[in-house]
Amino acid sequence: QLQLAESGGGLVQPGGSLRLSCEASGFAFELWPVGWFRQAPGKEREPVSCIDGGGDMTAYVDSVKGRFTISRDNDKEAVYLQMNSLKPEDTGVYYCAAISWFGGTCPGSGTDWGQGTQVTVSS
């Protein structure tokens, strides 16, 4: 079981950047792949990016490729999402969660969700 907490969201203009953090505590953090998800009002939650336990394998949804970068620091028990060139359609609540993933497309959901952090991209 992991306990996860997201932070780093805020209000930014289109083209701006944010760095989200997912801080974890619990059993064997380095063994857990982690995913970032987002949900806009009235829309389904969608996977954004995911990373394996060792931080060597990553994947991204097509809409954020080249703009977002996922990374992790297992010594700090943290996963990060660097978001550049933000667009209004990136607006939503961003969550991190433990996932079951062995490569390929990021899974659609996970477990041990944090409370989320709001990202708003607007002029």
Side-chain angles (χ1 to χ4, degrees), residues 37-55:
F37 303 80
R38 67 187 180 190
Q39 187 168 25
K43 296 184 178 179
E44 295 259 317
R45 183 176 59 203
E46 65 171 343
V48 176
S49 182
C50 51
I51 188 168
D52 71 345

Side-chain angles (χ1 to χ4, degrees), residues 70-84:
I70 190 170
S71 62
R72 69 190 295 161
D73 185 338
N74 287 341
D75 289 338
K76 296 182 178 180
E77 295 188 309
V79 176
Y80 308 101
L81 187 67
Q82 178 67 46
M83 306 187 296
N84 299 326

Side-chain angles (χ1 to χ4, degrees), residues 1-4 6 22 32-39 45-51 95-101 105-114:
Q1 182 181 341
L2 292 176
Q3 304 290 332
L4 304 175
E6 302 91 341
C22 172
W32 286 98
V34 173
W36 282 100
F37 303 80
R38 67 187 180 190
Q39 187 168 25
R45 183 176 59 203
E46 65 171 343
V48 176
S49 182
C50 51
I51 188 168
Y95 302 89
C96 61
I99 57 173
S100 179
W101 183 62
T105 303
C106 295
S109 193
T111 61
D112 301 318
W113 299 93

Side-chain angles (χ1 to χ4, degrees), residues 12-18 38 63-68 82-90 121:
V12 297
Q13 295 182 343
S17 297
L18 286 172
R38 67 187 180 190
S63 61
V64 309
K65 286 181 179 177
R67 300 189 297 119
F68 291 10
Q82 178 67 46
M83 306 187 296
N84 299 326
S85 302
L86 283 162
K87 304 175 180 180
E89 52 263 44
D90 295 317
V121 185

